[in-house]
Amino acid sequence: MSKLGKFFKGGGSSKSRAAPSPQEALARLRETEEMLGKKQEYLENRIQRELSLAKKHGTQNKRAALQALKRKKRFEKQLTQIDGTLSTIEFQREALENSHTNTEVLKNMGMAAKAMKAVHENMDLNKIDDLMQEITEQQDIAQEISEAFSQRVGFGADFDEDELMAELEELEQEELNKKMTNIRLPNVPSSSLPAPPERVPASSRRAEEEEDDIKQLAAWAT
């Protein structure tokens, strides 16, 4: 058996250690993710530093340049391992979250089922049938009462419609007379209108013209 297998077997054989709750396990997984994230950032910085050293030494100091490249390779390998570990932890965290959600859903559904059972235990199907029948009867009675109230009452059926129409016409005529009385006519102007110009008869104008012609002929004859 490998050392890793012995480690997990030994850890699981402890009866005094209780299993952690899903909340505790999720908190531990998040802490581990945060720690590995910081480790990733550190390795990325070291890789860039070693790469800069290798470029700096170049062919002038090949040994130092090669050592820097070797360290860079080791850091890259560690970074790859951390990426794989983070993927595994992320998968495990998601699975644990889903399991916890399913457990809570199942627990709540079980509580709801027990509550429904407790409610139904206090119900008698025969009493429910009797109650529904009574409700139906009361609804029918209420409907009959509403229909009775809504029927047309015969008050005023003996009045003569012709007499009512004649009275209505008289009222309309009175209203019209009131409106005509309230109409105000425009005031008559106080000043007199100008007199029209005098018209000379046509016969008088013709006689005057003939008299003027005779005078002109007499003047020429002399």
Side-chain angles (χ1 to χ4, degrees), residues 110-134:
M111 292 177 61
K114 292 180 181 179
M116 292 177 64
K117 183 179 180 180
V119 171
H120 291 160
E121 285 178 353
N122 298 325
M123 290 186 179
D124 188 353
L125 293 179
N126 296 326
K127 292 182 179 180
I128 294 175
D129 292 337
D130 296 339
L131 177 61
M132 294 304 299
Q133 185 176 359
E134 183 177 356

Side-chain angles (χ1 to χ4, degrees), residues 31 33 40-41 44 57 79-80 125 165 174 205:
E31 291 176 0
E33 285 180 322
Q40 277 183 323
E41 185 177 356
E44 289 173 353
H57 293 296
L79 187 61
T80 302
L125 293 179
M165 289 298 298
E174 291 178 2
R205 288 200 304 269

